[in-house]
Amino acid sequence: MIRPGLALVLWLATAALLLANHTIGDTLIATAIGPRDAAWYKTLLPLPYVMLMAVIHARRTAGPAWQAAALLAGVLWSVTTALLDAIYGRITYGESLEAILDRYAVLEGAPWPLLLLAQLVLPWLCGWLTAKRRRPADPAGRP
């Protein structure tokens, strides 16, 4: 079943974590380990939390429309997280568009797109694993 409200609530929980993570990463962590390592910190720390949100989403949307629900969650989470990051950078540091886009320079080693890719893919992957595990047995008792 497609539940856009559930996807939104799970993203809001993730957004709260990401904002706190950005704030801590930009103030305390960046001064201690440097800005390059702080960028990796801000990317890798939320990944288990995003996985947890994807598992919760997959369990709550299991059923015949799980693929559409996973696609909706993945697109919603990744696009709105990118917008949240841009708004955070613009409001907090007055970053220009070029500075915001520099965070997405994959070929130059920018880690931030890994989080967005995880948010796009993990709902579908967890939904697929949940659907695979819940397949009913055929009349002969085989899965």
Side-chain angles (χ1 to χ4, degrees), residues 57-71:
H57 184 267
R59 288 184 178 177
R60 302 272 187 218
T61 59
W66 72 265
Q67 291 178 331
L71 178 66

Side-chain angles (χ1 to χ4, degrees), residues 46-80:
L47 285 178
Y49 193 73
V50 170
M51 175 66 123
L52 176 66
M53 295 297 118
V55 167
I56 291 170
H57 184 267
R59 288 184 178 177
R60 302 272 187 218
T61 59
W66 72 265
Q67 291 178 331
L71 178 66
L72 173 76
V75 170
L76 173 75
W77 293 354
S78 60
V79 169
T80 52

Side-chain angles (χ1 to χ4, degrees), residues 77-132:
W77 293 354
S78 60
V79 169
T80 52
T81 297
L83 288 173
L84 177 73
D85 181 56
I87 291 169
Y88 172 82
R90 184 75 175 156
I91 290 174
T92 306
Y93 299 109
E95 291 181 332
S96 65
L97 181 61
E98 294 82 24
I100 292 169
L101 291 177
D102 278 345
R103 282 196 289 277
Y104 300 95
V106 177
L107 297 177
E108 292 155 13
W112 185 248
L114 294 174
L115 180 66
L116 299 179
L117 182 64
Q119 286 184 317
L120 182 65
V121 171
L122 283 175
W124 192 90
L125 182 63
C126 291
W128 177 73
L129 290 171
T130 302
K132 184 178 176 184

